[in-house]
Amino acid sequence: PAFMETEWQSRLAYDQWTAVPHAAVVVDEKLYVVGGSRNGRYLSDVQVFDLKSLVWSNLKLKPNADKFEETGSLDILPAISSHNVVNWGNKLFLIGGHSKKVADKITVLFIDLETHLCGVVETSGKVPVARGGHSATLVGSRVIVFGGEDKSRRLLNDVFVLDLETMTWDMVEGTQTPPAPRFDHTAAVHAERYLLIFGGCSHSIFFNNLHVLDLQTMEWSQPLVQGDLVTARAGHAGITIDENWYIVGGGDNKSGCPETLVLNMSKLVWSELTSVKQRDPLASEGLSVCSAIIDGEMYLVAFGGYNGKYSNEVFIMKPKPRDSSRPKILQSPAAAAAAASVTAAYALTKAEKLDFTKAEDLNSKGAENSISEKDVTNGVKAIREEKNVLELSLAEVRAENTRIKGQIDEKNGTLSELSKELLSVQGQLGAERSRCFKLEAQISELHKMLESMQPIENEVQELRTQKSAFERNIELASAVQKQGSGGVWRWIAGGNGNA
């Protein structure tokens, strides 16, 4: 569409992404794009898009005079990617990320939007290792950092909290089963108490599961989620508006995710809001999404991403107001009870501030509220106990399945070896059988030859007899010759020797 420079918002349809003609964050109707990467090169600029006039501009940064050290580099902001940008007050905080300058601990940078000063923030406490692809979620004056991968590409699933007032890090030790180590996931906070982790990937597996960390009890859980089927993805972006968590883009290194999803965080129900074409820039990995209030109306703003080519387009959506009181569709009564208990627990803490200690004693409240909240607390406790029992049973079943699978694999391996041995023996028997047939044929031929040689043996025997008779005659003649004087010829002539 051909937008005018003013009143372009009136042309937008509900729940449909629209390209605006001409890791990001929106502040005062302006979209700030800080760093990133393109063609394998890290970027160090800050680009600003005015959502009223639809004009891009470059934010000229100044070095922080107190902390800046002369290095000879023209880049005040280091070239950085896979970082997180958090807006707090009049400052943008850049937390973590990958850069050419490798550090052991995570780095926090700041950009003052009034003075345009930029520099490194000195932090203390239990500073986490350097990482990228993590999530950083603002809750009050604290930033909750989860997961990512370090400079050696080691996957992480730890939780750290940065207090922006004191710039102090602290590590959170959660209970129960945390999410598998991952990066390029999304995170959100509901009711200022529940940290939600969705999707992401390891180096070979892409996830579509939802994990929840209770920031008061520090207990991890994986709740039952209803609604539309959600495909596994990483590199997607998310933003919350009231009770709705909007998820845009992502992919699995094979194809992008064209659908825009919305999770009702109170009802834990997924639904598909809209969809784009497969090769659309919105079906990309590494894009950013923010929310903005323009002339009193809420909008979603998406920028960037990579789906085979890099995108520098800005897309805007006007989400349709949703009736949070409409009934939800549940798959079973048990699911309804569980979801209702979770919703009630969320409702109790919706107005509370984030506190990393145990919840206050409910008995200090009014009697009527105490009874209601006690019932809900007991219900939640019963569900947790049942969940623990089910998890133990599931673990036992998985262990048994693993054992049986191991036995099946072992038997299959033995059967395979026996089959090979049987084939080998059958081959040997076939060769021996063929050899026996040849030997039997040779023996038959020899028998025939022996039968044909019998007359020859008789003739040879007769010749031997004649030879023996002849040899005796010769011996006799020789003896007569010796006795007479006439010699053998005379004897043969019959003379008597007196003539």
Side-chain angles (χ1 to χ4, degrees), residues 144-164:
I144 304 174
V145 173
F146 170 79
E149 60 176 359
D150 65 11
K151 61 183 180 180
S152 302
R153 297 205 68 195
R154 179 173 61 95
L155 296 175
L156 306 168
N157 66 343
D158 48 7
V159 180
F160 285 86
V161 178
L162 174 63
D163 190 323
L164 296 178

Side-chain angles (χ1 to χ4, degrees), residues 226-442:
Q226 306 295 317
D228 294 337
L229 179 64
V230 177
T231 58
R233 68 194 65 201
H236 48 292
I239 190 69
T240 59
I241 299 178
D242 297 328
E243 294 184 344
N244 298 312
W245 189 14
Y246 294 87
I247 302 294
V248 185
D252 58 3
N253 283 341
K254 296 178 182 178
S255 61
C257 297
E259 65 274 8
T260 297
L261 304 171
V262 58
L263 174 69
N264 186 308
M265 293 183 289
S266 290
K267 299 178 180 179
L268 295 178
V269 177
W270 282 110
S271 59
E272 182 177 319
L273 185 63
T274 186
S275 184
V276 297
K277 295 180 180 179
Q278 187 65 47
R279 301 297 296 178
D280 193 279
L282 286 167
S284 299
E285 298 181 39
L287 53 73
S288 300
V289 65
C290 312
S291 61
I293 299 177
I294 305 174
D295 294 337
E297 285 195 87
M298 181 69 70
Y299 296 87
L300 298 183
V301 184
F303 172 79
Y306 177 79
N307 63 354
K309 64 178 182 179
Y310 292 91
S311 172
N312 63 349
E313 291 188 77
V314 177
F315 293 85
I316 292 183
M317 173 194 287
K318 180 164 63 174
K320 185 177 181 179
R322 277 158 175 76
D323 183 7
S324 60
S325 63
R326 65 183 180 183
K328 57 185 175 180
I329 300 175
L330 296 170
Q331 296 178 349
S332 67
S341 298
V342 173
T343 302
Y346 281 174
L348 288 177
T349 58
K350 187 173 182 180
E352 295 179 2
K353 296 296 182 181
L354 174 63
D355 186 5
F356 292 96
T357 62
K358 296 292 183 182
E360 296 181 358
D361 187 0
L362 298 179
N363 294 328
S364 62
K365 298 183 179 180
E368 181 177 354
N369 288 339
S370 296
I371 296 174
S372 175
E373 293 174 4
K374 183 177 180 180
D375 292 340
V376 172
T377 302
N378 291 336
V380 172
K381 183 178 179 181
I383 291 174
R384 285 178 177 169
E385 291 176 353
E386 184 178 356
K387 185 196 74 171
N388 292 335
V389 172
L390 292 175
E391 285 179 346
L392 290 175
S393 300
L394 181 60
E396 292 177 356
V397 171
R398 286 175 175 171
E400 182 66 14
N401 287 342
T402 301
R403 185 184 65 82
I404 294 175
K405 185 178 181 297
Q407 292 179 349
I408 292 174
D409 291 340
E410 183 180 355
K411 298 298 183 184
N412 286 337
T414 304
L415 179 61
S416 177
E417 292 296 327
L418 291 175
S419 297
K420 292 180 181 178
E421 186 175 353
L422 176 61
L423 290 175
S424 176
V425 171
Q426 287 177 341
Q428 294 176 4
L429 288 175
E432 291 295 326
R433 188 178 293 111
S434 176
R435 184 165 171 268
C436 287
F437 289 154
K438 291 181 180 179
L439 289 175
E440 288 176 354
Q442 291 176 0

Side-chain angles (χ1 to χ4, degrees), residues 484-486 490-491 494-499:
S485 59
R490 180 179 176 186
W491 177 78
N496 56 13
N498 298 316

